[in-house]
Amino acid sequence: MSHPISSQPQGYVSAQSQWNSEVMDCFQDMGICLCGTFLPLCLACRVAQDMDECTCLPLLPGSVLAMRTGMRERYRIQGTICDDFVCLCFCPHCTLCQMAREMKMHK
């Protein structure tokens, strides 16, 4: 006699984490804050270099969005590409500072 299947096997889901700091926590690291405020392109290039990407990557349109999404994937941080887009559209300097702080925490 056959028995009906009552549940399906579940796939493995790795634990996800959160960002180590919030987008608006810019003053946690004054060096990053000042660089993000007055030299954001330099900070973006440093973040790209810390991610082992081409230092000139932030010069390409949309590349900081790709870097943020890649960082979330690398460190298993919860969120979506839509979240990344909204953060970068409405507060690009603070979002870039958050990315720099995250890279600093993972070094």
Side-chain angles (χ1 to χ4, degrees):
M1 176 173 170
S2 65
H3 298 283
I5 296 173
S6 58
S7 66
Q8 293 290 326
Q10 300 299 316
Y12 175 77
V13 177
S14 62
Q16 289 192 327
S17 63
Q18 299 291 326
W19 291 96
N20 285 310
S21 62
E22 296 296 323
V23 172
M24 297 298 178
D25 289 342
C26 293
F27 298 113
Q28 278 187 352
D29 188 316
M30 285 306 293
I32 290 175
C33 178
L34 291 171
C35 189
T37 301
F38 297 109
L39 301 166
L41 187 56
C42 291
L43 183 60
C45 290
R46 191 179 90 194
V47 170
Q49 185 177 27
D50 290 345
M51 291 180 69
D52 295 325
E53 296 290 344
C54 175
T55 305
C56 298
L57 181 65
L59 299 174
L60 299 174
S63 60
V64 178
L65 176 62
M67 286 169 41
R68 183 173 171 87
T69 303
M71 187 179 290
R72 272 193 318 94
E73 293 294 318
R74 180 184 294 184
Y75 299 120
R76 301 191 193 296
I77 298 171
Q78 289 181 338
T80 65
I81 194 167
C82 186
D83 297 336
D84 299 336
F85 179 78
V86 169
C87 285
L88 283 165
C89 278
F90 292 105
C91 201
H93 294 254
C94 293
T95 302
L96 185 58
C97 289
Q98 180 191 36
M99 293 168 63
R101 289 190 306 272
E102 192 71 26
M103 287 307 300
K104 188 175 180 180
M105 294 290 292
H106 287 283
K107 275 189 165 181

